[in-house]
Amino acid sequence: MSGVQQVAMKAAVLKALLDEVRKVYDAAREDADGGLIALNGELGVKTIEVRLPGYDAPVAQVTISEPKTGYVVDEAGLLAWCKQEHPSEVAVTTPAPVESVRPAWRKALLARMKVEPDGTVVDGETGRILDFVEVAEPPPPSTTLTFKKGGREEVAAAYRDGRLALPELLALPAAEQE
């Protein structure tokens, strides 16, 4: 086998394994995420530490992120409201005159919005109803997996010294029998 064939074969094998590892990783993350979300709902747990066999310190952590309430803004309604209530915050661009709310002012207004108990959105400074804004359903909770300092290196060391058995972790599917 030539040098080029050898490296091409290596690339093909690693790509096939990478694809299989990605599938197993995605399933494991889904299970871990679902477990943490369930623990959060039952007990309020927000973070779990990941430990390896034969190593006392955590190598990583999985943390739940609380979804924040979002808003849906009717941009035409915002522009009409601004033209009436805050005309100095409306910018006009040329050559074709296009009106828009100044981005910095829009951002400041959205940052100070509050939701009343009845679901009405108001300007947090003035208490005025912002009927061009609706509360959006928050997305489902999500999680992040982050490695601790030296965590990746410890995973590699655990693999090298046999504390991690990749065949069991990966559980690659058996070959189909003919």
Side-chain angles (χ1 to χ4, degrees), residues 7 22 72 74 94 133 153 165:
V7 293
R22 172 60 65 188
V72 177
D74 171 15
T94 55
V133 180
E153 295 78 7

Side-chain angles (χ1 to χ4, degrees), residues 125-138:
E125 274 185 13
T126 66
R128 296 193 61 187
I129 294 173
L130 303 175
D131 58 3
F132 52 87
V133 180
E134 292 179 16
V135 177
E137 286 295 315

Side-chain angles (χ1 to χ4, degrees), residues 47-65:
T47 299
I48 55 171
E49 291 186 330
V50 179
R51 297 178 188 276
L52 297 177
Y55 189 71
D56 291 334
V59 294
Q61 68 184 28
V62 180
T63 305
I64 195 166
S65 58

Side-chain angles (χ1 to χ4, degrees), residues 17-51:
L17 290 173
L18 179 66
D19 293 345
E20 291 301 319
V21 169
R22 172 60 65 188
K23 290 177 199 171
V24 175
Y25 168 76
D26 289 346
R29 273 304 300 270
E30 188 175 314
D31 289 347
D33 294 353
L36 179 56
I37 290 168
L39 274 175
N40 179 260
E42 293 168 21
L43 304 172
V45 174
K46 294 187 181 293
T47 299
I48 55 171
E49 291 186 330
V50 179
R51 297 178 188 276

